[in-house]
Amino acid sequence: MRCAVLGDPIAHSLSPVLHRAGYEALGLDWTYDAVRVGLGELAAQLRPEAGWRGLSLTMPLKREAMGLADEVTERARLVGAANTLVLGDGRISADNTDLPGAVAAVRERYDGPVRAGTVLGGGATAASTGLALCELGAGTVTVLARSPERAQETLDAIGRHPTAPEVRVGSLDDVPTGDVLVSTIPAGAQTPELVGRAAGIPVLFEVLYDPWPTPLAASAGSRPLVGGLDLLVHQAAVQFELFTGRPAPLDAMRAAGERELAQRSSA
């Protein structure tokens, strides 16, 4: 069976390492590659003769993929973006595993209350992690973006959560509030001033795994820190189960990711 991660850029992706480790642990003769695909090329990859079983999607494909699917799961519809396509019987199903992956990643590191939270960034990952905060109990979610006027899709997505959260928007110059701070912005945008404003947030969730640690992650100290590898492993585990129908070997997948990142950092 053939699976892959699609996106542009894509060479940095850890997904092949995680999924291949899962296949090896379960003795599955499956393949998983990284394929560089731009926005205009996505539809061509979904032809039946391409032979795909499952596809992981990175930016900038997550929102476009919704319109190419025959079926869209409720959580993908909620986020307004799909990071997963399951292909079979001539049909394409779009799903979003970032949402349950983010919930699982936080709960693995922190079991306390989440009454409110702040998300840095306004893209598709900000939408899924903002919704994850709602799943964890947040009644208020604040989105701080470099361009607040361009974050409307993300604000709308978080506002669609069944708990009807209060959704606020501001700029990266504002002070984060709440129990959890999620960063979906590049490491280069994490200025010393921004890091300082985040000092009072009890839990940090950094969605990046490379470079590591980011300035925000390095500032965690004794606070619970949810890392990008945590998110990637948990969302990949959900994808693995959707693609194969088998429980994901989470420990094997995580260990493979840790080894790969250690090799990259020493190179």
Side-chain angles (χ1 to χ4, degrees):
M1 301 296 286
R2 188 182 182 203
C3 299
V5 57
L6 308 183
D8 186 13
I10 200 62
H12 69 288
S13 177
L14 267 185
S15 292
V17 172
L18 302 184
H19 284 263
R20 289 170 185 169
Y23 302 156
E24 181 179 1
L26 296 188
L28 298 176
D29 186 21
W30 287 43
T31 63
Y32 190 106
D33 300 302
V35 181
R36 184 178 178 182
V37 172
L39 278 170
E41 304 166 289
L42 179 57
Q45 292 289 338
L46 303 183
R47 293 175 301 190
E49 58 268 27
W52 299 116
R53 166 57 184 168
L55 296 173
S56 310
L57 304 176
T58 66
M59 294 304 293
L61 307 177
K62 292 184 178 182
R63 283 177 170 150
E64 184 196 24
M66 298 279 286
L68 301 175
D70 301 297
E71 304 164 354
V72 178
T73 65
E74 185 56 38
R75 61 190 175 200
R77 205 177 301 280
L78 189 64
V79 177
N83 75 328
T84 305
L85 296 178
V86 183
L87 295 85
D89 299 323
R91 298 184 64 79
I92 302 169
S93 176
D95 204 344
N96 188 297
T97 67
D98 283 333
L99 175 50
V103 172
V106 171
R107 279 302 175 222
E108 183 178 44
R109 304 291 182 188
Y110 172 71
D111 61 2
V114 179
R115 294 154 296 208
T118 296
V119 181
L120 305 181
T125 303
S128 59
T129 51
L131 283 162
L133 292 179
C134 298
E135 293 281 297
L136 290 162
T140 302
V141 177
T142 302
V143 175
L144 302 183
R146 285 177 289 184
S147 301
E149 66 279 2
R150 298 175 60 185
Q152 194 58 51
E153 280 188 83
T154 292
L155 301 175
D156 292 343
I158 299 171
R160 286 194 296 266
H161 193 271
T163 59
E166 178 184 359
V167 184
R168 303 170 180 172
V169 65
S171 77
L172 291 180
D173 294 328
D174 295 336
V175 177
T177 58
D179 302 297
V180 180
L181 174 65
V182 183
S183 176
T184 72
I185 62 175
Q190 298 177 15
T191 64
E193 293 77 16
L194 185 151
V195 171
R197 289 192 293 274
I201 304 297
V203 181
L204 294 182
F205 184 173
E206 170 58 81
V207 306
L208 298 180
Y209 57 82
D210 188 13
W212 188 265
T214 64
L216 274 168
S219 75
S222 61
R223 291 177 288 175
L225 173 64
V226 184
L229 183 59
D230 297 325
L231 172 61
L232 189 67
V233 168
H234 280 286
Q235 69 82 22
V238 181
Q239 285 183 337
F240 185 96
E241 295 175 11
L242 289 171
F243 296 163
T244 68
R246 302 274 296 275
L250 194 68
D251 291 343
M253 296 170 72
R254 186 195 303 277
E258 290 173 343
R259 287 194 299 270
E260 175 64 19
L261 288 178
Q263 290 173 4
R264 291 184 186 184
S265 66
S266 62

